[in-house]
Amino acid sequence: MSHSHNQIPHSDDPKVQAYIDKITKRDRTVDHLFRRVLHIIERFIAIITIVALLAALGLDIYEMFTEEGYFREVDHLLHSLLTIVVGLEFVRMLIDTTPANILEVLTVAITRHVILSHEDPWANVASVACIAGLFAIRRYLIRRSELKEEMVEIE
């Protein structure tokens, strides 16, 4: 991924240039350290989310067999399962932060809202318009090479 770095100053004085090079190297090291720490935190959050999703799935499966009339309420089942799907997409986005994954998470989350909400038809129209907008963004604003490219590089 090409980054647009600020122009690094250059000096004809070797002492000044050595100082500039030292500062530039330190800044790159600090940036790299921050990226690594953020990446580790994202992975940790992903692990916690997976554990929570597995627990929710296990609880749902348990309730399927122990609660009488569980399958009569399809909305409850859809709500639980689609929440888990959105959570899994979120984990995938945390692990592999690409524009394609971010758009998929947003699409799945909005689609879940459309499927589960029955109150306001205008909210559904707005949600469908948002999904169409996400598809348009993917199709026209993001280059194919960027769709698979990780957004946060870790050197």
Side-chain angles (χ1 to χ4, degrees):
M1 179 175 183
S2 64
H3 294 286
S4 59
H5 292 291
N6 292 339
Q7 194 72 339
I8 297 172
H10 181 74
S11 174
D12 292 331
D13 184 350
K15 289 181 182 180
V16 172
Q17 186 60 45
Y19 179 75
I20 290 172
D21 291 343
K22 178 181 167 188
I23 296 294
T24 303
K25 184 179 179 189
R26 187 192 70 209
D27 286 350
R28 286 184 185 147
T29 303
V30 169
D31 285 350
H32 178 70
L33 178 67
F34 279 140
R35 283 192 183 106
R36 288 298 275 166
V37 168
L38 288 173
H39 192 68
I40 290 168
I41 291 170
E42 285 174 346
R43 296 289 169 123
F44 181 70
I45 291 171
I47 290 169
I48 291 172
T49 306
I50 287 173
V51 169
L53 291 171
L54 288 174
L57 183 61
L59 184 62
D60 247 12
I61 291 171
Y62 174 76
E63 287 176 358
M64 280 180 194
F65 295 107
T66 58
E67 277 188 28
E68 195 170 311
Y70 181 86
F71 290 104
R72 278 187 242 147
E73 288 188 39
V74 176
D75 283 351
H76 175 70
L77 178 67
L78 277 176
H79 181 272
S80 298
L81 292 177
L82 291 176
T83 299
I84 291 169
V85 168
V86 169
L88 290 173
E89 287 293 327
F90 175 72
V91 169
R92 194 170 80 166
M93 182 193 72
L94 281 176
I95 291 172
D96 186 23
T97 311
T98 63
N101 285 345
I102 293 169
L103 292 174
E104 282 182 40
V105 169
L106 292 171
T107 303
V108 169
I110 294 169
T111 303
R112 176 191 171 277
H113 173 75
V114 170
I115 291 171
L116 295 179
S117 73
H118 304 291
E119 308 87 42
D120 185 13
W122 288 110
N124 287 342
V125 169
S127 297
V128 170
C130 287
I131 292 171
L134 290 172
F135 280 113
I137 288 169
R138 182 181 175 132
R139 173 77 170 99
Y140 297 109
L141 297 180
I142 299 177
R143 291 188 302 267
R144 291 197 189 284
S145 62
E146 291 177 348
L147 286 175
K148 295 288 181 200
E149 191 172 293
E150 181 111 19
M151 290 179 66
V152 179
E153 286 185 359
I154 306 224
E155 290 123 15

